[in-house]
Amino acid sequence: MVSTALLTACSAEQDPQATSATCVYKDSRKAAKDVKKPSEQPPHGTVNLTLTTNHGDIDLALNADQAPCTVGAITSLAKQGYYDNTVCHRLTTQGIYVLQCGDPSATGSGGPGFVFPDEYPVGSGESPIYKAGTIAMANAGPNTNGSQFFLNYEDSPLPPNYTLFGEMSPESTEVVRAIAAKGTATGGADGAPKEEVSITKATVN
């Protein structure tokens, strides 16, 4: 099985949990691309986000009621152009089935210059399956979320250590499956996609 360590992002000092009323975004290492911190006031409901890629659009429905601070961060970064002209740097095709994106440096260690606490299912006592079509945050340990996220194109048996914050449309899940079907650049189970996946624009609809 592929190690879950691949779902890491930039490491930083751990944060306390955010309150239900406000979000806490704490300074971290230098940003891979300069951006402002998100608002401390979280969004609510569903926020729609489209990733325009060279393989087709990937439409995301972000659940701000389940993961308000995560959705607040992702949408803020998208509105500031943080994800524009970046690549999805990692694909796994065995054990867990994810396409990982959100690092402008494409190294797996880049972040936005801040971190924020984990949300559902972390600490809930629940152990949901990271089902095909779901979206979750990559991290480097508890409460180290930044900008990197992963798209599950098949069910991935992961521990409940990664914030779930939305779903892809069925058509978009098929787009990611088609990317995964081509494999990795090295032919292994973990690496850069064989065909580069470029996000030209992230748009909050």
Side-chain angles (χ1 to χ4, degrees):
M1 179 178 290
V2 179
S3 170
T4 58
L6 71 92
L7 301 177
T8 60
C10 56
S11 61
E13 181 181 349
Q14 295 181 7
D15 260 342
Q17 288 287 338
T19 68
S20 59
T22 61
C23 298
V24 178
Y25 301 104
K26 184 177 179 180
D27 289 339
S28 180
R29 64 171 66 182
K30 180 175 173 57
K33 184 186 289 188
D34 289 337
V35 287
K36 296 178 181 178
K37 287 183 182 179
S39 169
E40 294 181 353
Q41 301 304 314
H44 301 282
T46 300
V47 179
N48 295 311
L49 176 68
T50 297
L51 303 177
T52 302
T53 83
N54 58 325
H55 292 265
D57 287 353
I58 299 175
D59 294 317
L60 313 178
L62 310 185
N63 188 340
D65 291 332
Q66 178 173 282
C69 298
T70 301
V71 174
I74 295 295
T75 55
S76 174
L77 291 171
K79 289 176 180 178
Q80 295 182 71
Y82 183 87
Y83 295 117
D84 297 353
N85 302 310
T86 63
V87 300
C88 295
H89 62 278
R90 183 167 279 175
L91 174 71
T92 64
T93 60
Q94 182 179 329
I96 57 175
Y97 306 93
V98 307
L99 178 67
Q100 188 168 333
C101 313
D103 174 10
S105 75
T107 64
S109 62
F114 61 82
V115 293
F116 57 95
D118 298 320
E119 294 178 299
Y120 180 83
V122 184
S124 69
E126 299 181 30
S127 297
I129 294 173
Y130 289 76
K131 293 182 179 180
T134 57
I135 317 159
M137 291 299 291
N139 62 50
N143 305 315
T144 58
N145 302 287
S147 60
Q148 294 186 44
F149 56 90
F150 57 94
L151 308 171
N152 294 284
Y153 62 90
E154 300 292 353
D155 292 356
S156 294
L158 289 160
N161 298 337
Y162 308 96
T163 298
L164 284 163
F165 66 98
E167 296 183 349
M168 296 182 277
S169 68
E171 296 80 7
S172 297
T173 303
E174 291 303 320
V175 169
V176 180
R177 282 181 176 145
I179 293 167
K182 297 179 174 68
T184 67
T186 62
D190 175 8
K194 183 175 182 179
E195 292 190 6
E196 184 176 87
V197 182
S198 300
I199 299 173
T200 56
K201 182 72 175 176
T203 306
V204 178
N205 302 315

